[in-house]
Amino acid sequence: MILQLIRTSFILLVLLFSFVPLGAAQASTNAIIGVVDMQKIMRELDVVKDINSQVKAFEEKTDKELAAEEKKLKDERAQIERQKTLVTPEAYSKKQSEFNRKAADFRVKVQEKNKQLQISRVNALEKIKAQMLPVIRDVMDKNGVSLVLDVSEVLFVEKPLEITKEIMERLNKDLKKIKVEIVPLKKS
């Protein structure tokens, strides 16, 4: 008896909840959904390409500096190895330890420089995103769009309003050039 009452209650709850979303969906059929490809925008936008070229220039400069330091370390390593037979084992061990510390410091420096460039790039891209929102909002208003979804979030849409091209055109026209500011390294 109790089991039958629980089953009946469960069936009634399922039926009740199955009709609620249908009614809510019917009420919002006038909504226009816009679809935008943010990955394409963040890959092909002129200002993003400029940021990438600025970061690449910083990377190339940093690579040259690090390559020079690495060459010095390799030369020092070779010199230590040449002196191995000329100095006492204690002196060789001391030089080896000092070199290992320098090599470890160099590896940390390389990681910090890479992190510095990544953070600088992300900061510049965040500035772009802040400038994008008003432009996207204007395109939404112009087209009567009430909701914008990224194309990666959409599985199927009957007739999507693809607004990527229009947004990219507006952003290329309206966005100001952004100078990549290299964040300072933290002192350790």
Side-chain angles (χ1 to χ4, degrees):
M1 178 79 157
I2 294 177
L3 189 57
Q4 186 177 10
L5 183 61
I6 291 173
R7 272 190 219 152
T8 307
S9 299
F10 179 72
I11 292 171
L12 287 174
L13 283 174
V14 169
L15 289 173
L16 176 67
F17 286 116
S18 66
F19 288 112
V20 171
L22 180 62
Q26 288 175 345
S28 65
T29 56
N30 295 336
I32 297 175
I33 298 173
V35 179
V36 67
D37 188 346
M38 287 302 291
Q39 284 185 343
K40 180 178 181 178
I41 290 173
M42 294 307 289
R43 185 178 57 244
E44 297 179 12
L45 204 58
D46 292 343
V47 71
V48 172
K49 289 177 182 178
D50 181 59
I51 286 173
N52 289 338
S53 67
Q54 290 179 58
V55 170
K56 185 174 174 111
F58 286 124
E59 284 174 342
E60 289 170 355
K61 180 182 173 196
T62 301
D63 287 347
K64 285 180 184 177
E65 292 170 2
L66 293 174
E69 284 185 50
E70 185 177 22
K71 185 180 180 330
K72 286 180 184 177
L73 283 172
K74 285 180 180 180
D75 292 344
E76 184 178 338
R77 175 75 178 152
Q79 183 180 4
I80 291 171
E81 287 303 314
R82 282 191 303 269
Q83 294 175 356
K84 183 176 184 177
T85 58
L86 303 174
V87 297
T88 65
E90 294 82 24
Y92 174 76
S93 178
K94 183 179 178 184
K95 287 183 182 231
Q96 186 74 4
S97 294
E98 289 174 11
F99 175 79
N100 289 341
R101 182 188 46 77
K102 287 179 185 178
D105 289 346
F106 177 73
R107 285 190 296 275
V108 169
K109 184 176 183 178
V110 169
Q111 291 172 349
E112 288 176 345
K113 289 283 190 178
N114 287 334
K115 185 176 179 181
Q116 179 186 36
L117 289 173
Q118 288 174 348
I119 291 171
S120 300
R121 182 178 188 279
V122 167
N123 288 347
L125 292 176
E126 288 299 320
K127 291 177 184 176
I128 290 174
K129 288 182 181 179
Q131 291 182 29
M132 286 172 71
L133 295 178
V135 173
I136 292 172
R137 185 70 212 180
D138 286 346
V139 172
M140 283 177 65
D141 292 344
K142 178 184 162 201
N143 292 299
V145 174
S146 55
L147 175 68
V148 175
L149 297 174
D150 188 71
V151 73
S152 67
E153 312 246 346
V154 177
L155 181 61
F156 176 77
V157 176
E158 183 90 17
K159 291 182 181 177
L161 180 55
E162 174 62 55
I163 57 177
T164 303
K165 183 179 178 185
E166 184 176 356
I167 289 175
M168 283 187 66
E169 288 171 357
R170 284 279 311 274
L171 290 172
N172 279 331
K173 184 182 93 174
D174 295 350
L175 286 185
K176 308 295 181 240
K177 180 176 177 161
I178 294 176
K179 182 177 184 288
V180 176
E181 297 172 10
I182 300 299
V183 296
L185 284 174
K186 292 181 182 178
K187 296 186 180 189
S188 47

